[in-house]
């Protein structure tokens, strides 16, 4: 299902929801089982009902289970964030359902439109970037790190694997993930930024194991020449392709 169709679907449903379609525990279960749109629409229904009761309260009506509804919305709003993190972190795996990313993007966009209303969780976009960063960290940790005793070229070997992992991950973003997000998410730029941050953290940890002069030179050569050349070349190639695609639309 194309992202624009999902957004339209949510907007149409939002205009007709006036009651909770599922009990709170079932909404939670739907989130855990990754039935995201059903869960979100029911959570949205609960938020709309809470909005209506707040409005009625301002007009002098008696509060009916208002505290309970606020508690339910607060509890349920945290669960989608955790599920989003899990989905985004796993999205680069070959077997993962990429359509879930469309649902994640839709929910983020819809919730951003509702900021300032009761029960809405702030910081969805920031949480999404943090999830991207966490996924990148996990990807970079997969490379083997031989001990100095087993392999005197341990650092050169590891940095070679690290560079390969970076290129392969960004290729996956280009081929498999870009189409799952709207353009204003700046997906590739976000992944490049997260790679810079994660690589910086990784290199600081590696530096703690460096004791020989040759390894310092190896590390510096990677930082100054090999890493930026790989990522900048990839970034230029992707950016050129995206600009060309926009011009042709």
């Amino acid at each position: 299902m194309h992202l624009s169709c999902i957004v339209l679907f949510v907007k149409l449903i939002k205009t007709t929801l006036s009651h909770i379609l599922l009990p709170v525990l079932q909404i939670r279960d739907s989130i855990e089982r990754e039935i995201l749109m059903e869960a979100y629409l029911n959570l949205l229904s609960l938020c709309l009902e809470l909005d209506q009761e707040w409005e009625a309260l301002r007009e002098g009506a008696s509060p009916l289970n208002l505290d309970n509804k606020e508690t339910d919305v607060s509890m349920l709003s945290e669960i989608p964030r955790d599920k989003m993190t899990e989905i985004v972190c796993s999205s680069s795996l070959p077997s993962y359902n990429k359509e879930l990313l469309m649902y994640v993007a839709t929910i983020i966009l819809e919730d951003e439109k509702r900021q300032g209303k009761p029960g809405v969780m702030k910081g969805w976009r920031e949480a999404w970037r943090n999830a991207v960063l966490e996924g990148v960290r996990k990807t970079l940790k997969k490379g083997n790190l031989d001990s100095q005793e087993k392999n005197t070229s341990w650092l050169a070997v590891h940095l070679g694997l690290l560079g390969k992992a970076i290129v392969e991950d960004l290729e996956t973003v280009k081929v498999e993930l870009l189409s799952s997000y709207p353009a204003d998410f700046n997906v590739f730029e976000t992944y490049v930024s997260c790679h810079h941050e994660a690589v910086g953290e990784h290199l600081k940890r590696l530096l703690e194991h460096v004791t020989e002069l040759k390894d310092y030179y190896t590390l510096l050569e990677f930082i100054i020449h090999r890493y930026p050349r790989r990522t900048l070349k990839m970034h230029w190639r992707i950016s050129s392709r995206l600009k060309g695609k926009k011009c042709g639309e």
Side-chain angles (χ1 to χ4, degrees), residues 79-146:
I79 300 172
R81 187 200 290 252
D82 295 337
K83 179 56 65 174
M84 177 190 70
T85 298
E86 179 185 325
I87 290 170
V88 174
C89 282
S90 304
S91 60
S92 60
L93 297 176
S95 60
Y96 207 77
N97 181 6
K98 303 301 186 293
E99 190 176 82
L100 289 174
L101 294 177
M102 290 187 178
Y103 299 147
V104 166
T106 299
I107 290 171
I108 291 173
L109 291 173
E110 287 298 315
D111 225 59
E112 285 179 343
K113 295 174 184 176
R114 293 179 50 77
Q115 290 302 316
K117 296 184 179 180
V120 176
M121 183 177 68
K122 297 180 180 180
W124 273 98
R125 192 72 69 117
E126 181 183 356
W128 170 75
R129 188 193 182 279
N130 289 338
V132 171
L133 177 58
E134 186 60 30
V136 170
R137 285 170 175 158
K138 289 181 179 179
T139 297
L140 298 186
K141 286 179 181 178
K142 293 178 182 177
N144 293 327
L145 183 61
D146 292 334

Side-chain angles (χ1 to χ4, degrees), residues 2-112:
H2 193 273
L3 182 60
S4 60
C5 296
I6 298 174
V7 174
L8 178 59
F9 175 70
V10 173
K11 288 181 178 179
L12 290 173
I13 295 295
K14 185 164 62 174
T15 61
T16 61
L17 287 175
S18 58
H19 61 283
I20 303 172
L21 303 178
L22 290 176
V24 170
L25 290 179
Q26 284 185 246
I27 298 175
R28 180 172 184 168
D29 183 62
S30 294
I31 296 170
E32 294 296 338
R33 292 189 293 122
E34 298 181 348
I35 310 175
L36 298 183
M37 294 311 296
E38 176 185 281
Y40 180 71
L41 291 173
N42 281 274
L43 178 56
L44 179 59
S45 177
L46 184 60
C47 288
L48 291 173
E49 186 168 310
L50 182 62
D51 288 352
Q52 292 168 1
E53 292 194 13
W54 269 107
E55 186 64 31
L57 187 63
R58 284 192 287 270
E59 295 176 0
S62 301
L64 298 174
N65 299 319
L66 195 58
D67 289 341
N68 290 338
K69 284 190 175 69
E70 283 191 315
T71 300
D72 290 340
V73 168
S74 178
M75 177 193 71
L76 289 172
S77 294
E78 292 297 327
I79 300 172
R81 187 200 290 252
D82 295 337
K83 179 56 65 174
M84 177 190 70
T85 298
E86 179 185 325
I87 290 170
V88 174
C89 282
S90 304
S91 60
S92 60
L93 297 176
S95 60
Y96 207 77
N97 181 6
K98 303 301 186 293
E99 190 176 82
L100 289 174
L101 294 177
M102 290 187 178
Y103 299 147
V104 166
T106 299
I107 290 171
I108 291 173
L109 291 173
E110 287 298 315
D111 225 59
E112 285 179 343

